[in-house]
mmCIF file with all atom_site columns, all heavy atoms in Angstrom:
data_model
loop_
_atom_site.group_PDB
_atom_site.id
_atom_site.type_symbol
_atom_site.label_atom_id
_atom_site.label_alt_id
_atom_site.label_comp_id
_atom_site.label_asym_id
_atom_site.label_entity_id
_atom_site.label_seq_id
_atom_site.pdbx_PDB_ins_code
_atom_site.Cartn_x
_atom_site.Cartn_y
_atom_site.Cartn_z
_atom_site.occupancy
_atom_site.B_iso_or_equiv
_atom_site.pdbx_formal_charge
_atom_site.auth_seq_id
_atom_site.auth_comp_id
_atom_site.auth_asym_id
_atom_site.auth_atom_id
_atom_site.pdbx_PDB_model_num
ATOM 1   N N   . SER A 1 140 ? -22.428 101.387 -99.212  1.00 96.00 ? 212 SER A N   1
ATOM 2   C CA  . SER A 1 140 ? -23.047 100.183 -99.763  1.00 96.00 ? 212 SER A CA  1
ATOM 3   C C   . SER A 1 140 ? -23.322 100.350 -101.252 1.00 96.00 ? 212 SER A C   1
ATOM 4   O O   . SER A 1 140 ? -23.741 101.424 -101.692 1.00 96.00 ? 212 SER A O   1
ATOM 5   C CB  . SER A 1 140 ? -24.358 99.886  -99.029  1.00 96.00 ? 212 SER A CB  1
ATOM 6   O OG  . SER A 1 140 ? -25.087 98.856  -99.674  1.00 96.00 ? 212 SER A OG  1
ATOM 7   N N   . PRO A 1 141 ? -23.134 99.266  -102.024 1.00 95.00 ? 213 PRO A N   1
ATOM 8   C CA  . PRO A 1 141 ? -23.461 99.316  -103.459 1.00 95.00 ? 213 PRO A CA  1
ATOM 9   C C   . PRO A 1 141 ? -24.922 99.011  -103.748 1.00 95.00 ? 213 PRO A C   1
ATOM 10  O O   . PRO A 1 141 ? -25.344 99.075  -104.901 1.00 95.00 ? 213 PRO A O   1
ATOM 11  C CB  . PRO A 1 141 ? -22.562 98.222  -104.039 1.00 95.00 ? 213 PRO A CB  1
ATOM 12  C CG  . PRO A 1 141 ? -22.469 97.214  -102.939 1.00 95.00 ? 213 PRO A CG  1
ATOM 13  C CD  . PRO A 1 141 ? -22.478 97.998  -101.650 1.00 95.00 ? 213 PRO A CD  1
ATOM 14  N N   . GLY A 1 142 ? -25.709 98.639  -102.723 1.00 94.00 ? 214 GLY A N   1
ATOM 15  C CA  . GLY A 1 142 ? -27.118 98.345  -102.936 1.00 94.00 ? 214 GLY A CA  1
ATOM 16  C C   . GLY A 1 142 ? -27.474 96.948  -102.507 1.00 94.00 ? 214 GLY A C   1
ATOM 17  O O   . GLY A 1 142 ? -26.783 96.321  -101.707 1.00 94.00 ? 214 GLY A O   1
ATOM 18  N N   . GLY A 1 143 ? -28.577 96.451  -103.048 1.00 94.00 ? 215 GLY A N   1
ATOM 19  C CA  . GLY A 1 143 ? -29.032 95.120  -102.672 1.00 94.00 ? 215 GLY A CA  1
ATOM 20  C C   . GLY A 1 143 ? -30.516 94.947  -102.878 1.00 94.00 ? 215 GLY A C   1
ATOM 21  O O   . GLY A 1 143 ? -31.071 95.353  -103.904 1.00 94.00 ? 215 GLY A O   1
ATOM 22  N N   . SER A 1 144 ? -31.186 94.397  -101.876 1.00 94.00 ? 216 SER A N   1
ATOM 23  C CA  . SER A 1 144 ? -32.591 94.025  -101.994 1.00 94.00 ? 216 SER A CA  1
ATOM 24  C C   . SER A 1 144 ? -33.512 95.234  -101.862 1.00 94.00 ? 216 SER A C   1
ATOM 25  O O   . SER A 1 144 ? -33.425 95.987  -100.888 1.00 94.00 ? 216 SER A O   1
ATOM 26  C CB  . SER A 1 144 ? -32.940 93.007  -100.897 1.00 94.00 ? 216 SER A CB  1
ATOM 27  O OG  . SER A 1 144 ? -34.332 92.877  -100.755 1.00 94.00 ? 216 SER A OG  1
ATOM 28  N N   . PRO A 1 145 ? -34.435 95.439  -102.804 1.00 94.00 ? 217 PRO A N   1
ATOM 29  C CA  . PRO A 1 145 ? -35.410 96.521  -102.666 1.00 94.00 ? 217 PRO A CA  1
ATOM 30  C C   . PRO A 1 145 ? -36.385 96.279  -101.518 1.00 94.00 ? 217 PRO A C   1
ATOM 31  O O   . PRO A 1 145 ? -36.912 97.226  -100.938 1.00 94.00 ? 217 PRO A O   1
ATOM 32  C CB  . PRO A 1 145 ? -36.123 96.530  -104.018 1.00 94.00 ? 217 PRO A CB  1
ATOM 33  C CG  . PRO A 1 145 ? -35.946 95.163  -104.559 1.00 94.00 ? 217 PRO A CG  1
ATOM 34  C CD  . PRO A 1 145 ? -34.614 94.698  -104.072 1.00 94.00 ? 217 PRO A CD  1
ATOM 35  N N   . VAL A 1 146 ? -36.624 95.020  -101.199 1.00 95.00 ? 218 VAL A N   1
ATOM 36  C CA  . VAL A 1 146 ? -37.515 94.702  -100.082 1.00 95.00 ? 218 VAL A CA  1
ATOM 37  C C   . VAL A 1 146 ? -36.892 95.146  -98.766  1.00 95.00 ? 218 VAL A C   1
ATOM 38  O O   . VAL A 1 146 ? -37.533 95.818  -97.945  1.00 95.00 ? 218 VAL A O   1
ATOM 39  C CB  . VAL A 1 146 ? -37.836 93.199  -100.051 1.00 95.00 ? 218 VAL A CB  1
ATOM 40  C CG1 . VAL A 1 146 ? -38.670 92.852  -98.828  1.00 95.00 ? 218 VAL A CG1 1
ATOM 41  C CG2 . VAL A 1 146 ? -38.567 92.772  -101.318 1.00 95.00 ? 218 VAL A CG2 1
ATOM 42  N N   . GLN A 1 147 ? -35.633 94.772  -98.549  1.00 96.00 ? 219 GLN A N   1
ATOM 43  C CA  . GLN A 1 147 ? -34.946 95.174  -97.321  1.00 96.00 ? 219 GLN A CA  1
ATOM 44  C C   . GLN A 1 147 ? -34.833 96.695  -97.223  1.00 96.00 ? 219 GLN A C   1
ATOM 45  O O   . GLN A 1 147 ? -35.046 97.291  -96.168  1.00 96.00 ? 219 GLN A O   1
ATOM 46  C CB  . GLN A 1 147 ? -33.557 94.547  -97.271  1.00 96.00 ? 219 GLN A CB  1
ATOM 47  C CG  . GLN A 1 147 ? -33.550 93.023  -97.273  1.00 96.00 ? 219 GLN A CG  1
ATOM 48  C CD  . GLN A 1 147 ? -34.092 92.443  -95.981  1.00 96.00 ? 219 GLN A CD  1
ATOM 49  O OE1 . GLN A 1 147 ? -33.655 92.798  -94.901  1.00 96.00 ? 219 GLN A OE1 1
ATOM 50  N NE2 . GLN A 1 147 ? -35.064 91.540  -96.096  1.00 96.00 ? 219 GLN A NE2 1
ATOM 51  N N   . ALA A 1 148 ? -34.509 97.331  -98.344  1.00 96.00 ? 220 ALA A N   1
ATOM 52  C CA  . ALA A 1 148 ? -34.398 98.790  -98.355  1.00 96.00 ? 220 ALA A CA  1
ATOM 53  C C   . ALA A 1 148 ? -35.741 99.447  -98.079  1.00 96.00 ? 220 ALA A C   1
ATOM 54  O O   . ALA A 1 148 ? -35.822 100.459 -97.366  1.00 96.00 ? 220 ALA A O   1
ATOM 55  C CB  . ALA A 1 148 ? -33.856 99.255  -99.705  1.00 96.00 ? 220 ALA A CB  1
ATOM 56  N N   . GLY A 1 149 ? -36.816 98.895  -98.626  1.00 96.00 ? 221 GLY A N   1
ATOM 57  C CA  . GLY A 1 149 ? -38.139 99.450  -98.391  1.00 96.00 ? 221 GLY A CA  1
ATOM 58  C C   . GLY A 1 149 ? -38.557 99.352  -96.933  1.00 96.00 ? 221 GLY A C   1
ATOM 59  O O   . GLY A 1 149 ? -39.159 100.284 -96.387  1.00 96.00 ? 221 GLY A O   1
ATOM 60  N N   . ILE A 1 150 ? -38.237 98.235  -96.295  1.00 97.00 ? 222 ILE A N   1
ATOM 61  C CA  . ILE A 1 150 ? -38.568 98.074  -94.871  1.00 97.00 ? 222 ILE A CA  1
ATOM 62  C C   . ILE A 1 150 ? -37.832 99.114  -94.038  1.00 97.00 ? 222 ILE A C   1
ATOM 63  O O   . ILE A 1 150 ? -38.411 99.746  -93.139  1.00 97.00 ? 222 ILE A O   1
ATOM 64  C CB  . ILE A 1 150 ? -38.217 96.655  -94.401  1.00 97.00 ? 222 ILE A CB  1
ATOM 65  C CG1 . ILE A 1 150 ? -39.107 95.617  -95.095  1.00 97.00 ? 222 ILE A CG1 1
ATOM 66  C CG2 . ILE A 1 150 ? -38.357 96.539  -92.887  1.00 97.00 ? 222 ILE A CG2 1
ATOM 67  C CD1 . ILE A 1 150 ? -38.702 94.177  -94.839  1.00 97.00 ? 222 ILE A CD1 1
ATOM 68  N N   . ILE A 1 151 ? -36.557 99.302  -94.327  1.00 97.00 ? 223 ILE A N   1
ATOM 69  C CA  . ILE A 1 151 ? -35.767 100.285 -93.579  1.00 97.00 ? 223 ILE A CA  1
ATOM 70  C C   . ILE A 1 151 ? -36.295 101.697 -93.831  1.00 97.00 ? 223 ILE A C   1
ATOM 71  O O   . ILE A 1 151 ? -36.426 102.500 -92.894  1.00 97.00 ? 223 ILE A O   1
ATOM 72  C CB  . ILE A 1 151 ? -34.284 100.180 -93.975  1.00 97.00 ? 223 ILE A CB  1
ATOM 73  C CG1 . ILE A 1 151 ? -33.728 98.808  -93.590  1.00 97.00 ? 223 ILE A CG1 1
ATOM 74  C CG2 . ILE A 1 151 ? -33.466 101.282 -93.313  1.00 97.00 ? 223 ILE A CG2 1
ATOM 75  C CD1 . ILE A 1 151 ? -32.337 98.523  -94.118  1.00 97.00 ? 223 ILE A CD1 1
ATOM 76  N N   . ASN A 1 152 ? -36.598 102.019 -95.086  1.00 97.00 ? 224 ASN A N   1
ATOM 77  C CA  . ASN A 1 152 ? -37.105 103.340 -95.437  1.00 97.00 ? 224 ASN A CA  1
ATOM 78  C C   . ASN A 1 152 ? -38.409 103.648 -94.701  1.00 97.00 ? 224 ASN A C   1
ATOM 79  O O   . ASN A 1 152 ? -38.588 104.744 -94.138  1.00 97.00 ? 224 ASN A O   1
ATOM 80  C CB  . ASN A 1 152 ? -37.308 103.425 -96.950  1.00 97.00 ? 224 ASN A CB  1
ATOM 81  C CG  . ASN A 1 152 ? -37.742 104.793 -97.418  1.00 97.00 ? 224 ASN A CG  1
ATOM 82  O OD1 . ASN A 1 152 ? -38.877 105.192 -97.216  1.00 97.00 ? 224 ASN A OD1 1
ATOM 83  N ND2 . ASN A 1 152 ? -36.821 105.512 -98.052  1.00 97.00 ? 224 ASN A ND2 1
ATOM 84  N N   . ASP A 1 153 ? -39.319 102.695 -94.672  1.00 96.00 ? 225 ASP A N   1
ATOM 85  C CA  . ASP A 1 153 ? -40.595 102.886 -93.976  1.00 96.00 ? 225 ASP A CA  1
ATOM 86  C C   . ASP A 1 153 ? -40.387 103.104 -92.479  1.00 96.00 ? 225 ASP A C   1
ATOM 87  O O   . ASP A 1 153 ? -41.045 103.952 -91.865  1.00 96.00 ? 225 ASP A O   1
ATOM 88  C CB  . ASP A 1 153 ? -41.511 101.686 -94.203  1.00 96.00 ? 225 ASP A CB  1
ATOM 89  C CG  . ASP A 1 153 ? -41.974 101.557 -95.650  1.00 96.00 ? 225 ASP A CG  1
ATOM 90  O OD1 . ASP A 1 153 ? -41.880 102.562 -96.394  1.00 96.00 ? 225 ASP A OD1 1
ATOM 91  O OD2 . ASP A 1 153 ? -42.407 100.456 -96.035  1.00 96.00 ? 225 ASP A OD2 1
ATOM 92  N N   . GLU A 1 154 ? -39.480 102.334 -91.895  1.00 96.00 ? 226 GLU A N   1
ATOM 93  C CA  . GLU A 1 154 ? -39.240 102.459 -90.456  1.00 96.00 ? 226 GLU A CA  1
ATOM 94  C C   . GLU A 1 154 ? -38.560 103.784 -90.117  1.00 96.00 ? 226 GLU A C   1
ATOM 95  O O   . GLU A 1 154 ? -38.818 104.370 -89.057  1.00 96.00 ? 226 GLU A O   1
ATOM 96  C CB  . GLU A 1 154 ? -38.378 101.290 -89.971  1.00 96.00 ? 226 GLU A CB  1
ATOM 97  C CG  . GLU A 1 154 ? -38.264 101.173 -88.462  1.00 96.00 ? 226 GLU A CG  1
ATOM 98  C CD  . GLU A 1 154 ? -39.584 100.853 -87.776  1.00 96.00 ? 226 GLU A CD  1
ATOM 99  O OE1 . GLU A 1 154 ? -40.561 100.515 -88.476  1.00 96.00 ? 226 GLU A OE1 1
ATOM 100 O OE2 . GLU A 1 154 ? -39.645 100.960 -86.535  1.00 96.00 ? 226 GLU A OE2 1
ATOM 101 N N   . MET A 1 155 ? -37.711 104.269 -91.005  1.00 96.00 ? 227 MET A N   1
ATOM 102 C CA  . MET A 1 155 ? -37.100 105.584 -90.799  1.00 96.00 ? 227 MET A CA  1
ATOM 103 C C   . MET A 1 155 ? -38.160 106.666 -90.695  1.00 96.00 ? 227 MET A C   1
ATOM 104 O O   . MET A 1 155 ? -38.131 107.525 -89.797  1.00 96.00 ? 227 MET A O   1
ATOM 105 C CB  . MET A 1 155 ? -36.140 105.899 -91.951  1.00 96.00 ? 227 MET A CB  1
ATOM 106 C CG  . MET A 1 155 ? -34.868 105.068 -91.960  1.00 96.00 ? 227 MET A CG  1
ATOM 107 S SD  . MET A 1 155 ? -33.950 105.232 -93.514  1.00 96.00 ? 227 MET A SD  1
ATOM 108 C CE  . MET A 1 155 ? -33.505 106.977 -93.479  1.00 96.00 ? 227 MET A CE  1
ATOM 109 N N   . THR A 1 156 ? -39.121 106.639 -91.603  1.00 95.00 ? 228 THR A N   1
ATOM 110 C CA  . THR A 1 156 ? -40.198 107.632 -91.592  1.00 95.00 ? 228 THR A CA  1
ATOM 111 C C   . THR A 1 156 ? -41.015 107.550 -90.311  1.00 95.00 ? 228 THR A C   1
ATOM 112 O O   . THR A 1 156 ? -41.373 108.580 -89.715  1.00 95.00 ? 228 THR A O   1
ATOM 113 C CB  . THR A 1 156 ? -41.102 107.432 -92.820  1.00 95.00 ? 228 THR A CB  1
ATOM 114 O OG1 . THR A 1 156 ? -40.304 107.494 -94.013  1.00 95.00 ? 228 THR A OG1 1
ATOM 115 C CG2 . THR A 1 156 ? -42.195 108.481 -92.874  1.00 95.00 ? 228 THR A CG2 1
ATOM 116 N N   . ARG A 1 157 ? -41.316 106.342 -89.883  1.00 96.00 ? 229 ARG A N   1
ATOM 117 C CA  . ARG A 1 157 ? -42.114 106.161 -88.665  1.00 96.00 ? 229 ARG A CA  1
ATOM 118 C C   . ARG A 1 157 ? -41.374 106.637 -87.419  1.00 96.00 ? 229 ARG A C   1
ATOM 119 O O   . ARG A 1 157 ? -41.944 107.334 -86.564  1.00 96.00 ? 229 ARG A O   1
ATOM 120 C CB  . ARG A 1 157 ? -42.487 104.686 -88.511  1.00 96.00 ? 229 ARG A CB  1
ATOM 121 C CG  . ARG A 1 157 ? -43.472 104.411 -87.385  1.00 96.00 ? 229 ARG A CG  1
ATOM 122 C CD  . ARG A 1 157 ? -43.653 102.925 -87.183  1.00 96.00 ? 229 ARG A CD  1
ATOM 123 N NE  . ARG A 1 157 ? -42.494 102.325 -86.551  1.00 96.00 ? 229 ARG A NE  1
ATOM 124 C CZ  . ARG A 1 157 ? -42.288 102.308 -85.218  1.00 96.00 ? 229 ARG A CZ  1
ATOM 125 N NH1 . ARG A 1 157 ? -43.156 102.887 -84.397  1.00 96.00 ? 229 ARG A NH1 1
ATOM 126 N NH2 . ARG A 1 157 ? -41.218 101.724 -84.718  1.00 96.00 ? 229 ARG A NH2 1
ATOM 127 N N   . LEU A 1 158 ? -40.101 106.294 -87.292  1.00 96.00 ? 230 LEU A N   1
ATOM 128 C CA  . LEU A 1 158 ? -39.323 106.658 -86.099  1.00 96.00 ? 230 LEU A CA  1
ATOM 129 C C   . LEU A 1 158 ? -39.101 108.160 -86.015  1.00 96.00 ? 230 LEU A C   1
ATOM 130 O O   . LEU A 1 158 ? -39.127 108.741 -84.922  1.00 96.00 ? 230 LEU A O   1
ATOM 131 C CB  . LEU A 1 158 ? -37.985 105.915 -86.109  1.00 96.00 ? 230 LEU A CB  1
ATOM 132 C CG  . LEU A 1 158 ? -38.062 104.403 -85.884  1.00 96.00 ? 230 LEU A CG  1
ATOM 133 C CD1 . LEU A 1 158 ? -36.702 103.755 -86.096  1.00 96.00 ? 230 LEU A CD1 1
ATOM 134 C CD2 . LEU A 1 158 ? -38.582 104.093 -84.482  1.00 96.00 ? 230 LEU A CD2 1
ATOM 135 N N   . LYS A 1 159 ? -38.866 108.805 -87.144  1.00 95.00 ? 231 LYS A N   1
ATOM 136 C CA  . LYS A 1 159 ? -38.689 110.264 -87.138  1.00 95.00 ? 231 LYS A CA  1
ATOM 137 C C   . LYS A 1 159 ? -39.938 110.953 -86.596  1.00 95.00 ? 231 LYS A C   1
ATOM 138 O O   . LYS A 1 159 ? -39.854 111.895 -85.793  1.00 95.00 ? 231 LYS A O   1
ATOM 139 C CB  . LYS A 1 159 ? -38.389 110.773 -88.550  1.00 95.00 ? 231 LYS A CB  1
ATOM 140 C CG  . LYS A 1 159 ? -37.001 110.505 -89.034  1.00 95.00 ? 231 LYS A CG  1
ATOM 141 C CD  . LYS A 1 159 ? -36.686 111.325 -90.283  1.00 95.00 ? 231 LYS A CD  1
ATOM 142 C CE  . LYS A 1 159 ? -37.666 111.093 -91.401  1.00 95.00 ? 231 LYS A CE  1
ATOM 143 N NZ  . LYS A 1 159 ? -37.368 111.932 -92.583  1.00 95.00 ? 231 LYS A NZ  1
ATOM 144 N N   . ALA A 1 160 ? -41.095 110.504 -87.043  1.00 93.00 ? 232 ALA A N   1
ATOM 145 C CA  . ALA A 1 160 ? -42.341 111.125 -86.591  1.00 93.00 ? 232 ALA A CA  1
ATOM 146 C C   . ALA A 1 160 ? -42.632 110.807 -85.129  1.00 93.00 ? 232 ALA A C   1
ATOM 147 O O   . ALA A 1 160 ? -43.129 111.664 -84.386  1.00 93.00 ? 232 ALA A O   1
ATOM 148 C CB  . ALA A 1 160 ? -43.495 110.642 -87.477  1.00 93.00 ? 232 ALA A CB  1
ATOM 149 N N   . LYS A 1 161 ? -42.319 109.611 -84.697  1.00 95.00 ? 233 LYS A N   1
ATOM 150 C CA  . LYS A 1 161 ? -42.632 109.202 -83.326  1.00 95.00 ? 233 LYS A CA  1
ATOM 151 C C   . LYS A 1 161 ? -41.771 109.927 -82.304  1.00 95.00 ? 233 LYS A C   1
ATOM 152 O O   . LYS A 1 161 ? -42.262 110.383 -81.267  1.00 95.00 ? 233 LYS A O   1
ATOM 153 C CB  . LYS A 1 161 ? -42.467 107.691 -83.189  1.00 95.00 ? 233 LYS A CB  1
ATOM 154 C CG  . LYS A 1 161 ? -42.764 107.171 -81.789  1.00 95.00 ? 233 LYS A CG  1
ATOM 155 C CD  . LYS A 1 161 ? -42.630 105.655 -81.718  1.00 95.00 ? 233 LYS A CD  1
ATOM 156 C CE  . LYS A 1 161 ? -42.920 105.147 -80.312  1.00 95.00 ? 233 LYS A CE  1
ATOM 157 N NZ  . LYS A 1 161 ? -42.797 103.668 -80.221  1.00 95.00 ? 233 LYS A NZ  1
ATOM 158 N N   . TYR A 1 162 ? -40.455 110.021 -82.559  1.00 95.00 ? 234 TYR A N   1
ATOM 159 C CA  . TYR A 1 162 ? -39.531 110.567 -81.563  1.00 95.00 ? 234 TYR A CA  1
ATOM 160 C C   . TYR A 1 162 ? -39.143 112.019 -81.836  1.00 95.00 ? 234 TYR A C   1
ATOM 161 O O   . TYR A 1 162 ? -38.454 112.625 -81.014  1.00 95.00 ? 234 TYR A O   1
ATOM 162 C CB  . TYR A 1 162 ? -38.274 109.699 -81.495  1.00 95.00 ? 234 TYR A CB  1
ATOM 163 C CG  . TYR A 1 162 ? -38.555 108.320 -80.937  1.00 95.00 ? 234 TYR A CG  1
ATOM 164 C CD1 . TYR A 1 162 ? -38.772 107.242 -81.783  1.00 95.00 ? 234 TYR A CD1 1
ATOM 165 C CD2 . TYR A 1 162 ? -38.613 108.108 -79.569  1.00 95.00 ? 234 TYR A CD2 1
ATOM 166 C CE1 . TYR A 1 162 ? -39.043 105.977 -81.285  1.00 95.00 ? 234 TYR A CE1 1
ATOM 167 C CE2 . TYR A 1 162 ? -38.885 106.849 -79.053  1.00 95.00 ? 234 TYR A CE2 1
ATOM 168 C CZ  . TYR A 1 162 ? -39.096 105.786 -79.915  1.00 95.00 ? 234 TYR A CZ  1
ATOM 169 O OH  . TYR A 1 162 ? -39.364 104.537 -79.405  1.00 95.00 ? 234 TYR A OH  1
ATOM 170 N N   . ASN A 1 163 ? -39.548 112.543 -82.968  1.00 94.00 ? 235 ASN A N   1
ATOM 171 C CA  . ASN A 1 163 ? -39.269 113.941 -83.305  1.00 94.00 ? 235 ASN A CA  1
ATOM 172 C C   . ASN A 1 163 ? -37.772 114.256 -83.188  1.00 94.00 ? 235 ASN A C   1
ATOM 173 O O   . ASN A 1 163 ? -37.373 115.274 -82.615  1.00 94.00 ? 235 ASN A O   1
ATOM 174 C CB  . ASN A 1 163 ? -40.082 114.874 -82.406  1.00 94.00 ? 235 ASN A CB  1
ATOM 175 C CG  . ASN A 1 163 ? -40.123 116.294 -82.947  1.00 94.00 ? 235 ASN A CG  1
ATOM 176 O OD1 . ASN A 1 163 ? -40.004 116.517 -84.156  1.00 94.00 ? 235 ASN A OD1 1
ATOM 177 N ND2 . ASN A 1 163 ? -40.262 117.268 -82.061  1.00 94.00 ? 235 ASN A ND2 1
ATOM 178 N N   . LYS A 1 164 ? -36.961 113.372 -83.719  1.00 95.00 ? 236 LYS A N   1
ATOM 179 C CA  . LYS A 1 164 ? -35.515 113.572 -83.746  1.00 95.00 ? 236 LYS A CA  1
ATOM 180 C C   . LYS A 1 164 ? -35.048 113.599 -85.201  1.00 95.00 ? 236 LYS A C   1
ATOM 181 O O   . LYS A 1 164 ? -35.574 112.853 -86.042  1.00 95.00 ? 236 LYS A O   1
ATOM 182 C CB  . LYS A 1 164 ? -34.779 112.450 -83.002  1.00 95.00 ? 236 LYS A CB  1
ATOM 183 C CG  . LYS A 1 164 ? -34.982 112.454 -81.507  1.00 95.00 ? 236 LYS A CG  1
ATOM 184 C CD  . LYS A 1 164 ? -34.169 111.338 -80.857  1.00 95.00 ? 236 LYS A CD  1
ATOM 185 C CE  . LYS A 1 164 ? -34.375 111.319 -79.351  1.00 95.00 ? 236 LYS A CE  1
ATOM 186 N NZ  . LYS A 1 164 ? -33.586 110.240 -78.686  1.00 95.00 ? 236 LYS A NZ  1
#
Side-chain angles (χ1 to χ4, degrees):
S212 171
S216 165
V218 175
Q219 299 291 308
I222 294 172
I223 297 171
N224 184 287
D225 293 342
E226 190 65 11
M227 289 168 64
T228 304
R229 188 187 73 84
L230 291 173
K231 285 194 304 178
K233 180 178 180 180
Y234 293 97
N235 195 27
K236 291 182 181 180

